Amino acid sequence: MQGEEKKGKVKKGWLAVRVGDDGSRRFVIPIAYLYHPLFRRLLEAARDAYGYDYSGGPLRLPCSVDEFLRLRALVERETQAAASGGSASASSSSSHHGHNLVSFSPCTRAKVSS
């Protein structure tokens, strides 16, 4: 994937994030992903876990690398389906939201709902 584990400057329109229990894995994602409902939940969990204090480094997300990779793959599929513009992709995208929200929620549920 683009930007995975790269150090240094991040291109305009992209955002560096740190993932994992110790924040050891760095990924670069398109800023547009932050508008996806699942990423929004993850951002809320990050706020609850770490507050708003900004240390000048990549945004830290409170989930495992595996959960993050699953979420990123889902968002990429839905983004590509929406970009294709077909009505079948829109209904497919809607069905993915409900199903995958449940499978991804262990990453965010504990932080968000407490």
Side-chain angles (χ1 to χ4, degrees):
M1 293 289 147
Q2 183 169 359
E4 200 167 310
E5 291 298 323
K6 279 190 170 182
K7 305 290 184 218
K9 291 188 176 191
V10 177
K11 292 190 302 185
K12 186 176 182 176
W14 292 73
L15 174 72
V17 296
R18 289 236 170 243
V19 179
D21 294 331
D22 58 357
S24 62
R25 291 284 305 268
R26 182 178 185 266
F27 296 90
V28 179
I29 59 170
I31 288 175
Y33 284 12
L34 301 178
Y35 297 102
H36 189 280
L38 294 178
F39 257 103
R40 284 191 170 274
R41 288 188 59 198
L42 190 53
L43 290 174
E44 290 170 2
R47 180 201 59 213
D48 293 345
Y50 310 120
Y52 287 111
D53 188 25
Y54 177 70
S55 64
L59 175 65
R60 188 162 176 211
L61 301 176
C63 65
S64 73
V65 172
D66 288 341
E67 290 169 326
F68 175 78
L69 292 174
R70 223 177 22 227
L71 171 68
R72 186 178 68 177
L74 170 66
V75 173
E76 286 173 357
R77 276 194 311 268
E78 290 185 6
T79 301
Q80 290 170 357
S84 71
S87 60
S89 65
S91 64
S92 171
S93 176
S94 297
S95 67
H96 283 325
H97 277 302
H99 174 71
N100 287 310
L101 186 63
V102 173
S103 65
F104 184 71
S105 62
C107 175
T108 57
R109 184 182 318 167
K111 303 282 193 245
V112 174
S113 64
S114 53

